[in-house]
Amino acid sequence: MLPELSNPSVCMRDPQRVQEILESMQKAGSNTLQVISDFDMTLTRFAYNGKRCPTCHNILDNSKLISNDCKEKLKNLLDTYYPIEIDSTRSVDEKLPLMVEWWTRAHDLLVEQRIKKDLLATAVRESEAMLRDGYQLFFDHLYEHSIPLLIFSAGIGDILEEVIRQAGVFHPNVKVFSNYMDFDESGVLKAFKGELIHIYNKREGALLNTGHFQELRTRPNVLLLGDSLGDLTMADGVQDIENILKIGFLNDKVEERKQSYMDSYDIVLLKDETLEVSNAIMLYLT
Ligand code: C5P
Ligand code: MG
């Protein structure tokens, strides 16, 4: 057993099963491995020194690119819908239309702000976005071992890319599925491209991108990282999966949600702001 799996933040429903999956994946070799990860609150920190860290949306919401009046409206949306997102007493069916409503209303407000493409990098630079401790090793090692990393995010693709670019880890093995901004010819945001990705339709998002998974068909072993139960479907486009190991970051409402996370993720990390466990697993598999 990897020593990191004894960290106090680690919970496992079935440690024996985790061990078996790890052994089987290790035996298959790193050339059969692909990594699929959520972004917000999975690759980025949830909190730092007791203060919440921003999601892709929050990076924009809190930036100079948004008027004070609009900031207030976005904040009201966050205060209304985030508690619903993490409410363990409501079913996915109940939450889904409300999540669509949140994303849609927020995107409409962002579009009204006539955001300029060339100011996004500054907004990210001035933000408090933080990748989790250990991110450098995570990204660099996957790149050095030619292991594809799919970042599958219901956040904003343009912002997410800028965060990893500024951190120096947007390597060529990284592919992103996310909500991308559409700019007019003068570089002003006019809409979001394609089908909306929210936290509960990653399965549909995956199935729209069969080409990507087809290219990776020689890699039937998947390491999946997420922080929401919606992230569990991110690998649904992978054909003929051999093994999948699911690591879930449980950041908020830990006691209420622990059981449901334990039931669906193989490894649950309780309020763990680091990539230490994921890195140990990645190093073991490569
Ligand atoms: O990258 P990921 O799929 O985790 O991005 C989704 C996250 O973005 C959600 O967990 C949600 O809390 C957050 N969000 C936000 N503002 C919005 C919509 C979603 O902060 N307007
Ligand atoms: Mg997330």
Side-chain angles (χ1 to χ4, degrees), residues 23-269:
E23 281 169 16
S24 171
M25 285 170 76
Q26 203 239 14
K27 222 191 240 159
S30 66
N31 59 348
T32 69
L33 180 66
Q34 58 175 303
V35 180
I36 303 180
S37 180
D38 169 55
F39 187 71
D40 291 305
M41 311 299 120
T42 294
L43 291 178
T44 55
R45 287 183 74 114
F46 178 75
Y48 183 64
N49 286 341
K51 190 168 176 271
R52 274 299 308 268
C53 293
T55 62
C56 293
H57 283 93
N58 303 154
I59 290 174
L60 266 187
D61 302 352
N62 303 336
S63 77
K64 289 181 193 151
L65 307 184
I66 307 294
S67 71
N68 285 339
D69 173 53
C70 183
K71 275 199 170 89
E72 202 179 307
K73 289 181 185 157
L74 288 162
K75 173 82 172 52
N76 286 338
L77 292 181
L78 182 68
D79 293 344
T80 306
Y81 292 103
Y82 178 66
I84 299 174
E85 176 186 346
I86 59 165
D87 185 350
S88 54
T89 68
R90 299 191 203 218
S91 68
V92 171
D93 285 347
E94 198 183 333
K95 292 192 213 185
L96 192 142
L98 298 166
M99 294 296 104
V100 174
E101 202 172 274
W102 181 16
W103 262 257
T104 310
R105 291 174 72 181
H107 287 188
D108 288 348
L109 285 170
L110 292 175
V111 169
E112 279 174 21
Q113 294 295 297
R114 300 185 54 78
I115 293 167
K116 292 205 182 70
K117 185 180 167 67
D118 59 4
L119 297 179
L120 293 181
T122 311
V124 170
R125 206 167 293 119
E126 291 176 349
S127 76
E128 288 172 358
M130 270 179 101
L131 291 162
R132 285 187 193 268
D133 292 0
Y135 76 86
Q136 189 94 44
L137 172 64
F138 179 78
F139 281 91
D140 289 355
H141 189 84
L142 290 177
Y143 173 53
E144 283 155 17
H145 289 76
S146 305
I147 296 165
L149 166 61
L150 171 63
I151 301 180
F152 197 155
S153 170
I156 302 172
D158 308 73
I159 299 287
L160 171 178
E161 285 193 6
E162 197 52 40
V163 172
I164 57 176
R165 190 176 296 121
Q166 289 183 15
V169 292
F170 193 5
H171 300 312
N173 64 318
V174 177
K175 167 113 188 163
V176 179
F177 293 170
S178 190
N179 299 303
Y180 277 90
M181 295 172 146
D182 198 1
F183 298 96
D184 67 17
E185 46 308 321
S186 51
V188 172
L189 178 65
K190 61 171 186 188
F192 280 80
K193 291 180 189 166
E195 294 292 322
L196 174 71
I197 302 174
H198 57 80
I199 52 164
Y200 291 125
N201 71 351
K202 289 193 173 181
R203 178 183 158 77
E204 288 76 4
L207 298 178
L208 281 176
N209 286 284
T210 45
H212 168 77
F213 296 108
Q214 180 65 22
E215 272 175 42
L216 299 186
R217 65 191 175 282
T218 59
R219 296 178 176 271
N221 291 300
V222 180
L223 186 60
L224 180 145
L225 279 65
D227 79 295
S228 150
L229 296 178
D231 295 330
L232 290 157
T233 61
M234 293 189 299
D236 284 11
V238 180
Q239 295 148 22
D240 306 318
I241 285 197
E242 251 161 46
N243 296 285
I244 178 163
L245 186 75
K246 299 170 183 161
I247 304 177
F249 289 85
L250 180 48
N251 302 308
D252 205 358
K253 293 256 184 273
V254 170
E255 280 317 311
E256 289 99 303
R257 299 198 290 167
K258 192 170 158 192
Q259 194 54 52
S260 56
Y261 275 62
M262 296 273 286
D263 291 342
S264 25
Y265 279 105
D266 300 301
I267 299 176
V268 179
L269 301 170

